[in-house]
Amino acid sequence: MSTAAPGVLGFEAGLEADAGAASEEALDAYSRTVAGVAERLSPSVANLRVLRATRRGRLPAGAGSAVVLTRDGFLITSAHVVAGRDRGGRATFVDGRELGFAVVGADALSDLALLRAEADDLTPAVLGDASALRVGQLVVAIGNPHGFAGSVTAGVVSALGRSLPARSGATVRMIDNVIQTDAALNPGNSGGALVDSFGRLVGVNTAVAGVGLGLAVPINEATRTLIGSLMTHGRVRRAYLGVAGGPRPLPAHARRERDQATGVEVIEVVGDSPAERAGVRVEDLIVELAGERVLGVEDIQRLMVADLIDTPVDAVVLRGGRVQRLSLVPRELAS
């Protein structure tokens, strides 16, 4: 027989009821956030059916997702979704509309492509800033996995600052600051939206690296510039040096003098390239370029913007332990 006083039992029951109510409120708050984001963003996400032109007409060439950028028909997607010549297709929206689209421009080295749909009354997504994201923050993925239009999954930012290799012909470049999320992504999600809890577009879903491991190209200042270039010129212009290399620790004396731990060791110099013309040699250790410290390959990549094309830039290299100063004139990277 229980000896607990009725008042104590009532107090415990009250605590359980309060805990249950608090848990229900937390769940409802989470659900309201995800549902609200889905309602706001779903009209801005398109299901793509990609077609290629052949002698027998237009044939299916793939599928994916895209996000509306402007009312007058510009959409952003992943470059690999529309890769290939003579690509176009149909974009379907949650309101039932199906619109034709053409590829305005694609950049395989950032895995972004710009499309133009035949409309002037689309609902654009609000662009956010991935640089403000924090690990553990709620994110929602909206896309069309396996052709299931308007699918919504939620998760968190699992990691930031990831790198993803991208290739265009013989050129390989790392996409920097890629967002890792555990929001479920599947084939067909590529090109779709990754948004924060306010419904702002912070990433374009690009790859599935494993179960619970999705990757998205960030929407930040650099990608906004890329999108602007695709919109204006239909392509992205980049500077080119003609070197291949990897990170290497600096010798002890150089580390002390420069207060710098690493540089980029040159392992290959392309013939008749700006680097070869400037006198860069294999085994040189690049520690500075255009006045910026070079700690890794990504630092060189980040500097190879259109503004440096045909513009002399100074490079500091270590050669046999001695400092060498060279002047390079980057040229445009062939697309």
Side-chain angles (χ1 to χ4, degrees):
M1 179 186 243
S2 172
T3 58
V8 175
L9 286 173
F11 177 70
E12 289 176 348
L15 283 179
E16 289 177 2
D18 289 345
S23 175
E24 206 168 305
E25 283 180 13
L27 178 62
D28 285 346
Y30 175 85
S31 299
R32 283 197 300 270
T33 298
V34 175
V37 167
E39 289 171 4
R40 286 196 299 274
L41 259 293
S42 290
S44 303
V45 180
N47 180 12
L48 299 183
R49 286 189 296 116
V50 182
L51 305 173
R52 60 187 175 90
T54 70
R55 292 179 180 178
R56 294 177 294 167
R58 304 184 80 188
L59 299 178
S65 307
V67 185
V68 178
L69 292 180
T70 66
R71 283 183 57 83
D72 59 349
F74 282 107
L75 298 89
I76 191 76
T77 187
S78 298
H80 72 264
V81 170
V82 293
R85 307 183 79 178
D86 301 319
R87 293 295 198 265
R90 308 294 293 176
T92 306
F93 294 85
V94 291
D95 61 5
R97 280 190 294 176
E98 184 175 298
L99 306 172
F101 72 84
V103 179
V104 176
D107 179 49
L109 295 179
S110 65
D111 198 23
L112 293 175
L114 191 70
L115 314 177
R116 188 72 183 269
E118 301 162 355
D120 58 6
D121 59 348
L122 298 182
T123 303
V126 176
L127 298 187
D129 183 6
S131 63
L133 288 175
R134 298 171 61 185
V135 172
Q137 186 172 336
L138 171 68
V139 285
V140 178
I142 305 177
N144 306 284
H146 301 294
F148 293 106
S151 296
V152 177
T153 58
V156 298
V157 176
S158 304
L160 294 166
R162 298 299 195 210
S163 294
L164 183 68
R167 178 183 294 275
S168 177
T171 303
V172 178
R173 185 178 187 274
M174 301 302 291
I175 304 173
D176 293 325
N177 298 314
V178 169
I179 305 163
Q180 179 185 326
T181 178
D182 67 350
L185 300 179
N186 291 286
N189 270 116
S190 290
L194 187 72
V195 299
D196 64 15
S197 58
F198 296 97
R200 298 174 299 205
L201 183 69
V202 293
V204 177
N205 298 321
T206 187
V208 182
V211 177
L213 208 169
L215 301 173
V217 175
I219 297 296
N220 52 26
E221 184 178 351
T223 49
R224 286 172 188 255
T225 301
L226 291 176
I227 292 168
S229 183
L230 289 172
M231 197 174 288
T232 304
H233 306 292
R235 64 191 182 97
V236 175
R237 301 178 70 218
R238 289 187 176 88
Y240 166 75
L241 292 180
V243 296
R248 178 184 152 189
L250 267 58
H253 71 278
R255 192 179 309 179
R256 289 192 301 270
E257 290 173 2
R258 296 188 57 82
D259 191 24
Q260 179 176 338
T262 61
V264 170
E265 181 181 21
V266 177
I267 59 176
E268 182 184 355
V269 180
V270 177
D272 196 33
S273 66
E276 184 185 62
R277 292 182 180 183
V280 177
R281 301 177 188 173
V282 172
E283 295 187 354
D284 279 353
L285 195 56
I286 303 173
V287 295
E288 187 177 310
L289 184 65
E292 300 285 341
R293 283 188 179 185
V294 173
L295 304 177
V297 175
E298 64 277 6
D299 294 317
I300 296 178
Q301 287 185 170
R302 200 173 296 117
L303 290 167
M304 293 296 99
V305 295
D307 290 345
L308 259 63
I309 296 172
D310 298 327
T311 301
V313 295
D314 293 329
V316 178
V317 304
L318 298 182
R319 181 179 297 164
R322 295 188 175 186
V323 174
Q324 301 281 330
R325 298 185 181 275
L326 306 173
S327 180
L328 298 87
V329 182
R331 66 172 182 240
E332 184 171 356
L333 176 67
S335 58

